[in-house]
Amino acid sequence: MFHSHGTRRSNAAARSSASGGLEGGGVGSPAASSASEGSSFRPSASTFWLLLHGLCCLISLFLGFRFSRLIFVLLFSNTIYTYTTTTTTTITSTRTETLTVSFPLTHTPPIETAVKPNNSAIELSDKMSNQGSSHSQVVVGRHGIRIRPWPHPDPTEVMRAHRIIERVQQEQRKWYGVKSPRPLIVITPTYARTFQALHLTGLIHCLRNVPYPVTWIVVEAGGVTNETASLLARSRVQFLHIPFHEKMPVEWAERHLTENRMRLLGLRVIRERNMDGIVLFADDSNVHSLDLFDEIQKVQWMGSVSVGILAHSGGPDRTLLTEDEKLNPPIPVQGPACNSSGHLIGWHTFNSIPYSEKSATFVGESATVLPGKMEWSGFVFNARMIWKEAEEGRPEWVKDLDKIGENGEEIESPLALVNDASFVEPLGDCGKKVMLWWMRVEARADSKFPPGWIIDPPLEIVVSAKRTPWQESDDLAGSKLEQDDRRFTRPKSRSSSKRKNTLPGQDN
Amino acid sequence: MGVKRWILPLLLLQILFGKFGIAELEQHTERISGSAGDVLEDDPVGRLKVFVYELPLKYNKKIVGRDPRCLNHMFAAEIFMHRFLLTSAVRTLNPEEADWFYTPVYTTCDLTPNGLPLPFKSPRVMRSAIQFISTNWPYWNRTEGADHFFLVPHDFGACFHYQEEKAIQRGILPLLKKATLVQTFGQENHVCLKEGSIIIPPYAPPQKMQAHMITPDTPRSIFVYFRGLFYDVGNDPEGGYYARGARASLWENFKNNPLFDISTEHPTTYYEDMQRAVFCLCPLGWAPWSPRLVEGVVFGCIPVIIADDIVLPFADAIPWEEIGVFVAEKDVPNLDTILTNIPIDVILRKQRLLANPSMKQAMLFPQPAQPGDAFHQILNGLARKLPHDKSIYLKPGERTLNWTAGPKGDLKPW
């Protein structure tokens, strides 16, 4: 509490630290006596102690260690006992910085210390005698620092603590969070390729942390494969694995269109099964924040969130920004735009013009991958919106799902599902909060990866590491090692070379 | 006759449904009722009258004028109580009808350059103030101060010292033997706690705490939180003295425990972090009380009080055992076992009690005063002590106070 008490007290008293303990012991006893006996203490005794104290200070200043306390205790320990009738002062002193006193856990009697003696340590312990309830049970003075023999966390207790935290958070959600949470239906188009495990693992872990019931519809291009199936089986998320008859094309533009068709297939599945909840499109390479799932609970019929577009491929040749662009740097966000009263007036889209020349055409090409005009992942809607029967409340501005795509036209964005886009609700503080990010990172379409990411049989080529702890590698590597060591620490290299010579089987 | 037969069942039904209605409302927070009853929301206006002595400015205004830092430190309650009483409805300008007399003397405003109050002149200041009121008004001598109250918010109250042994040695100022003391220090069977004292929380700046509020749906993810010293290296380098070794024990036992977020670093997000924690430790320091209790209550973090025999603020109005967790100093090494073994419904109940806004309000000293705040709880406490026993009025010639008691230095005029 008083962080700089020290300066004040040391300034006031101008004592050396060596005799600090003496002050504790010395003041303790007359204080105790006065507390038990009444209001005043004998003035002659106080001046005597003061003189003695000053003398000891001077001597300890010269000799430089805590002899003052030693002498005091040895000479006057008897008198201390007669003074202290109700209080105990337990004085322990060590030379080391930290005072560690370990108490066995079963030891219960009050303030009986077992001190490990160190260099110039002194053991002093008084028996406490409590006279009547009018005196405090709590004792003034130096106490031992209790440390249990194994000051490390116990795993069962840690688990219990985590369960407590979980329950507290559940309660918080109940009172302050969404009142009646609706289940989520997540639609993800995917296909087996090198980066699939990377993307899906991230998405699986995200969905596992969502505090609402999740049904995951995974639509796979090219039919159901073992790769995807094994990833999903381990996911511990409730999923539906739907095959899609086409294989995923290699061109980005085609891939976008195929993905749209896959998502429509997912929507048709929802419609057939009359699934209830909020529909969300989670592409496997997108990154989601958990805030997103709380925010979309607010949607009535159809909502739109802002998507951060991370389109840069990291290529160093970026054209210089125009003056206008320098003043208003292009913000890579796609989402709803509102006027000052919070109503939806339009959409921000990603400005792809600077990249149009050098965008990637093939999956896995090292160039910027551009998003579509309107990303599906930025839209969420109520599953009842696409149900077959016109339920009470399905708005007229929603098109019937069967009528979409029946002429073979491509569905570019979910806005094709509605007649009137102005009914879309802007979420996330009117699009100001970005809670998910669109990203497309893929390897070349012909890249190989171990199936299931299990290396079996073991790899054929073994490359020796340069700095292994086992000195078994060839001469060149070994001598280089020695040279490096010699640069840093001379004695070490000498000993290491000596070790090398004496070890059997070493021919250096 | 037929109608009358239905009255009783209807009444019963209404009571039943009415009860459920009340239960619904209070599931989120719970009513606080201590041993004095359901008194946190009592209004003291009309239940007592307080007369404020007009002391010369050197006892109050001039002291603050010299050092305005006194308005922000944890002892500022004495200043704000004065300001509150001057404009309060319980104030009366007629001393004859007053139940309580208040002496506005600021004894905790002599600050070091670091901002810590020096208590060396406080006894003289207090003594001088009492001398002033006893010579200019007859009310002190009438009861020798038994119907007077004083605010003494320093470390050990009216013992006027920051060091416990010296404070015990001095004892409570002899002149205040009969008066009611309103103080922050409270420890059972301690020389510096008089019977009948009112314990108040230390002052914490309400606006500052309000400015750092975060939304209540932020999940509480820290299990145990504490920021502060474990060893007071300046005054007690070896440990064992400071906090009776309890804080050092905390550090040594739990510095490696990931459930315990404890350190000496004082981050800028201190208040926000407390709102993300389930338990906040409130161990003793040089004195058993600390502003952490107030902060924990305001931020909804269950206070874990590690101070043997401590008396907490407004203990008759607030049931602290149901709100906080009390851990004996000797049990500190087992703190993790103790805290993880608390049943979850007990923890949730404590959080519900803490969420009660009247609980938070009772710990604060807002400017201007609001109903249910600490000022009103003090007045409630004073009102609960009324009516005064007839024996406090001294017969003529009867004297019990010793005006020359105490160390010689205290007798010097100020």
Side-chain angles (χ1 to χ4, degrees):
Chain A
M1 187 175 70
F2 287 109
H3 301 269
S4 38
H5 232 112
T7 48
R8 168 163 52 126
R9 289 184 11 176
S10 54
N11 285 341
R15 294 179 187 137
S16 61
S17 63
S19 53
L22 175 65
E23 174 216 324
V27 172
S29 33
S33 72
S34 64
S36 59
E37 275 150 32
S39 49
S40 60
F41 53 87
R42 294 164 290 182
S44 54
S46 75
T47 49
F48 169 67
W49 292 123
L50 206 62
L51 282 175
L52 184 66
H53 181 93
L55 189 65
C56 290
C57 275
L58 287 169
I59 301 179
S60 63
L61 257 175
F62 286 121
L63 295 181
F65 68 94
R66 280 177 232 277
F67 110 101
S68 53
R69 199 205 311 263
L70 198 92
I71 297 292
F72 179 71
V73 160
L74 292 177
L75 289 180
F76 299 110
S77 56
N78 289 330
T79 51
I80 290 180
Y81 281 67
T82 59
Y83 277 139
T84 61
T85 52
T86 57
T87 63
T88 304
T89 54
T90 314
I91 305 172
T92 60
S93 65
T94 62
R95 274 261 190 88
T96 57
E97 304 93 48
T98 58
L99 175 69
T100 56
V101 178
S102 52
F103 278 59
L105 279 172
T106 53
H107 199 65
T108 42
I111 312 184
E112 275 187 42
T113 71
V115 183
K116 292 194 285 275
N118 286 325
N119 301 337
S120 62
I122 306 161
E123 261 184 58
L124 184 69
S125 61
D126 304 336
K127 276 274 182 278
M128 188 164 87
S129 56
N130 251 339
Q131 291 182 354
S133 56
S134 59
H135 295 285
S136 177
Q137 301 278 344
V138 178
V139 167
V140 180
R142 191 175 293 282
H143 293 238
I145 301 174
R146 295 173 161 87
I147 303 175
R148 63 188 196 202
W150 180 249
H152 293 288
D154 175 48
T156 356
E157 280 168 19
V158 174
M159 275 322 296
R160 237 180 279 147
H162 280 291
R163 261 176 246 129
I164 291 175
I165 294 178
E166 220 179 286
R167 184 73 184 81
V168 164
Q169 289 184 2
Q170 199 185 331
E171 196 75 11
Q172 274 184 284
R173 267 198 298 275
K174 185 163 133 200
W175 293 120
Y176 306 110
V178 180
K179 277 308 166 208
S180 41
R182 289 172 279 177
L184 297 182
I185 308 168
V186 183
I187 299 183
T188 303
T190 184
Y191 68 106
R193 72 252 193 228
T194 308
F195 275 46
Q196 183 197 34
L198 170 77
H199 298 316
L200 272 188
T201 309
L203 187 57
I204 288 170
H205 290 176
C206 183
L207 292 177
R208 281 236 285 263
N209 280 326
V210 172
Y212 311 109
V214 168
T215 308
W216 192 20
I217 299 181
V218 183
V219 185
E220 184 168 3
V224 172
T225 61
N226 284 340
E227 289 292 328
T228 320
S230 59
L231 274 168
L232 294 179
R234 286 199 306 265
S235 68
R236 288 190 247 165
V237 179
Q238 195 187 354
F239 65 91
L240 279 172
H241 197 173
I242 314 281
F244 188 69
H245 50 274
E246 290 172 30
K247 278 183 70 84
M248 190 64 89
V250 182
E251 281 176 20
W252 275 110
E254 292 292 328
R255 181 175 149 169
H256 288 321
L257 293 175
T258 312
E259 279 180 358
N260 292 347
R261 272 179 254 137
M262 289 158 81
R263 291 187 191 106
L264 273 178
L265 176 60
L267 288 178
R268 288 203 188 94
V269 167
I270 296 177
R271 187 187 169 89
E272 274 165 43
R273 297 176 189 225
N274 275 352
M275 295 166 81
D276 201 5
I278 302 176
V279 180
L280 169 71
F281 298 101
D283 300 340
D284 55 4
S285 58
N286 285 2
V287 176
H288 309 85
S289 156
L290 284 179
D291 304 342
L292 175 71
F293 300 97
D294 292 328
E295 185 69 22
I296 61 178
Q297 292 282 343
K298 295 182 191 159
V299 76
Q300 278 257 309
W301 286 110
M302 185 158 173
S304 157
V305 289
S306 284
V307 184
I309 305 290
L310 303 174
H312 295 285
S313 67
D317 53 337
R318 280 182 52 193
T319 52
L320 296 164
L321 295 170
T322 62
E323 278 304 314
D324 184 42
E325 275 176 340
K326 274 196 199 131
L327 288 169
N328 316 314
I331 301 169
V333 169
Q334 203 174 82
C338 296
N339 61 6
S340 48
S341 52
H343 295 295
L344 182 73
I345 49 171
W347 313 95
H348 291 298
T349 56
F350 181 68
N351 183 11
S352 358
I353 300 175
Y355 306 98
S356 46
E357 274 109 61
K358 339 170 253 52
S359 70
T361 19
F362 291 96
V363 173
E365 206 182 309
S366 64
T368 317
V369 182
L370 293 177
K373 264 275 182 54
M374 270 286 133
E375 276 302 316
W376 283 73
S377 43
F379 290 90
V380 295
F381 48 82
N382 194 337
R384 290 175 191 238
M385 210 169 86
I386 50 171
W387 282 5
K388 221 171 270 197
E389 305 92 49
E391 285 269 333
E392 75 328 273
R394 177 162 103 189
E396 323 73 49
W397 44 270
V398 178
K399 281 194 209 157
D400 193 18
L401 192 65
D402 284 339
K403 306 208 175 34
I404 297 168
E406 53 183 11
N407 298 334
E409 83 266 19
E410 297 295 349
I411 313 298
E412 286 283 333
S413 89
L415 291 175
L417 292 172
V418 295
N419 288 324
D420 188 357
S422 62
F423 282 97
V424 175
E425 304 147 40
L427 298 173
D429 194 16
C430 210
K432 291 200 201 93
K433 197 167 169 201
V434 175
M435 291 174 286
L436 77 148
W437 293 266
W438 178 97
M439 197 171 71
R440 290 287 180 264
V441 179
E442 296 294 347
R444 280 168 56 114
D446 56 351
S447 68
K448 299 271 180 289
F449 64 99
W453 285 99
I454 292 175
I455 300 177
D456 178 35
L459 299 172
E460 296 160 8
I461 302 171
V462 179
V463 179
S464 66
K466 218 171 145 197
R467 282 178 174 275
T468 55
W470 307 284
Q471 296 175 346
E472 48 168 50
S473 45
D474 55 284
D475 303 352
L476 201 62
S479 60
K480 196 142 192 289
L481 192 77
E482 213 186 88
Q483 273 172 21
D484 286 340
D485 282 341
R486 209 172 279 141
R487 253 189 298 135
F488 295 120
T489 51
R490 282 197 191 191
K492 256 199 187 149
S493 73
R494 232 179 278 137
S495 61
S496 76
S497 58
K498 243 192 262 177
R499 250 190 290 121
K500 271 185 132 179
N501 290 333
T502 52
L503 269 173
Q506 290 295 324
D507 46 347
N508 206 15
Chain B
M1 248 344 181
V3 177
K4 279 200 184 150
R5 268 179 54 198
W6 288 108
I7 290 183
L8 194 58
L10 278 176
L11 266 173
L12 280 171
L13 271 175
Q14 201 175 43
I15 291 171
L16 267 175
F17 283 124
K19 235 170 132 177
F20 283 134
I22 294 175
E24 277 274 324
L25 270 173
E26 283 158 27
Q27 257 173 359
H28 171 42
T29 63
E30 237 182 81
R31 281 194 87 74
I32 311 261
S33 56
S35 53
D38 221 354
V39 293
L40 276 187
E41 282 139 40
D42 276 358
D43 188 13
V45 175
R47 294 171 59 204
L48 80 165
K49 295 226 169 289
V50 176
F51 176 74
V52 181
Y53 283 123
E54 285 267 329
L55 289 187
L57 295 180
K58 72 166 183 170
Y59 291 104
N60 33 57
K61 276 237 171 70
K62 287 214 181 121
I63 297 186
V64 176
R66 265 201 296 270
D67 198 344
R69 286 179 299 173
C70 291
L71 291 165
N72 293 321
H73 66 180
M74 56 181 121
F75 310 104
E78 55 181 8
I79 304 174
F80 291 118
M81 187 71 184
H82 181 203
R83 295 189 183 177
F84 163 69
L85 281 174
L86 286 175
T87 54
S88 160
V90 302
R91 182 188 185 190
T92 168
L93 297 168
N94 176 10
E96 291 300 329
E97 62 166 11
D99 300 305
W100 287 101
F101 294 84
Y102 172 61
T103 317
V105 53
Y106 304 160
T107 53
T108 328
C109 199
D110 182 17
L111 303 188
T112 65
N114 280 333
L116 295 168
L118 290 172
F120 303 119
K121 289 203 208 125
S122 309
R124 290 166 53 202
V125 177
M126 183 64 86
R127 202 190 148 79
S128 159
I130 295 177
Q131 264 168 340
F132 188 86
I133 60 174
S134 63
T135 46
N136 289 332
W137 287 273
Y139 308 104
W140 177 269
N141 293 326
R142 192 171 65 166
T143 56
E144 281 195 319
D147 52 359
H148 290 58
F149 72 92
F150 295 84
L151 258 98
V152 279
H154 197 240
D155 293 2
F156 290 99
C159 291
F160 294 123
H161 209 278
Y162 50 81
Q163 207 190 330
E164 190 166 1
E165 289 131 345
K166 292 246 173 64
I168 295 177
Q169 194 183 331
R170 290 180 131 272
I172 295 181
L173 195 72
L175 289 177
L176 294 174
K177 209 166 64 159
K178 292 196 164 171
T180 296
L181 297 177
V182 180
Q183 58 189 50
T184 50
F185 170 74
Q187 192 175 303
E188 283 169 30
N189 299 325
H190 197 278
V191 174
C192 299
L193 178 63
K194 211 158 80 76
E195 215 211 293
S197 299
I198 297 178
I199 311 291
I200 59 170
Y203 176 76
Q207 304 91 332
K208 191 166 160 216
M209 291 201 280
Q210 200 59 39
H212 286 271
M213 283 291 199
I214 58 178
T215 49
D217 62 346
T218 314
R220 287 187 187 265
S221 46
I222 303 175
F223 192 59
V224 176
Y225 188 76
F226 175 74
R227 288 289 184 273
L229 290 182
F230 300 101
Y231 293 93
D232 187 349
V233 193
N235 296 311
D236 179 34
E238 299 160 347
Y241 227 127
Y242 178 55
R244 295 197 275 270
R247 286 193 185 198
S249 173
L250 264 178
W251 176 250
E252 299 301 337
N253 281 302
F254 300 112
K255 60 188 175 194
N256 293 320
N257 196 323
L259 294 173
F260 283 66
D261 186 354
I262 57 179
S263 102
T264 51
E265 299 277 327
H266 206 288
T268 44
T269 54
Y270 176 58
Y271 287 148
E272 288 86 343
D273 290 342
M274 273 193 147
Q275 293 171 74
R276 287 178 35 228
V278 177
F279 290 105
C280 286
L281 299 181
C282 306
L284 69 160
W286 287 108
W289 57 271
S290 116
R292 285 183 187 86
L293 183 71
V294 177
E295 290 160 358
V297 167
V298 169
F299 295 128
C301 180
I302 301 175
V304 179
I305 295 143
I306 308 173
D308 287 345
D309 290 345
I310 188 174
V311 178
L312 288 176
F314 307 129
D316 51 348
I318 300 177
W320 287 106
E321 302 78 34
E322 295 177 31
I323 293 173
V325 178
F326 286 83
V327 177
E329 286 163 33
K330 64 176 172 53
D331 290 330
V332 166
N334 303 324
L335 189 62
D336 54 351
T337 316
I338 295 172
L339 290 180
T340 50
N341 280 323
I342 302 178
I344 183 66
D345 26 302
V346 171
I347 294 181
L348 291 177
R349 176 157 188 262
K350 287 188 203 280
Q351 291 196 318
R352 278 201 298 273
L353 284 166
L354 282 170
N356 193 337
S358 61
M359 176 74 207
K360 297 189 207 277
Q361 191 77 306
M363 289 283 115
L364 295 172
F365 292 95
Q367 268 82 52
Q370 286 159 21
D373 63 7
F375 298 118
H376 290 91
Q377 303 304 334
I378 298 175
L379 292 178
N380 280 337
L382 289 170
R384 284 196 287 275
K385 293 181 94 183
L386 292 175
H388 292 298
D389 193 41
K390 287 280 179 276
S391 62
I392 64 168
Y393 296 102
L394 302 176
K395 311 208 188 12
E398 193 181 337
R399 288 240 142 234
T400 47
L401 274 190
N402 184 350
W403 285 74
T404 51
K408 270 254 172 56
D410 287 358
L411 302 175
K412 277 198 278 220
W414 182 74

